[in-house]
Amino acid sequence: MIRQEEVYHIGRIGRPHGIKGELIFTFSDDVFDQVDADYLILQVDGILVPFFIEEYRFRTDESVLLKLEGIDTQEQARELTNCEVFFPRALAKSQEEGISWAQIVGFRIVNGTERVPVGTINSVDDTTENVLLEVTSPTGKDLLIPAAPALIHDIDEEQREIIMDLPEGLLSL
């Protein structure tokens, strides 16, 4: 059984395309193309299920037409509409570029060498030049933390932690 911590979210299945089981897949991370993956993981009725990729072709910078093995009709494809798509963290580690923004969702942020817990990353806002980490603190407070390289001391993928050196007063804003 695939566990949630073994994967990370990369997109969503849209509507069927045509009558032969193709799907429109909108993605936020094209890691599946970068590491030449054989499969993707879809969340079907709350369960993470692997589906082998037959083929795909890019439509735009954020979507592909996707054909999955065993999905051969429009009706079968329709059953997967709106399924969330995930990618195995183990396969993503083979990327030479390092970790992507999508991969760090769910990581904990700790501050300084004392490793004071700051919170857990809920999402990453990379729509502007200054990337922001949207974090929930242990007390439930929502925080926005800049993901400036100068603030990131280390990323521990195994512990799912980002060690940062945050300026004094940033967390009290």
Side-chain angles (χ1 to χ4, degrees), residues 83-100:
C83 283
E84 300 296 331
V85 181
F86 296 85
F87 196 77
R89 289 184 187 278
L91 289 179
K93 286 182 182 178
S94 65
Q95 266 188 288
E96 291 181 17
E97 292 180 13
I99 195 164
S100 73

Side-chain angles (χ1 to χ4, degrees), residues 15 28 34 44 63 71 75 78 89 94-95 117 121 130 137 146:
R15 60 181 172 78
S28 57
Q34 294 174 17
V44 181
S63 69
I71 307 300
E75 291 74 31
R78 193 173 294 116
R89 289 184 187 278
S94 65
Q95 266 188 288
I121 300 171
N130 298 316
S137 74

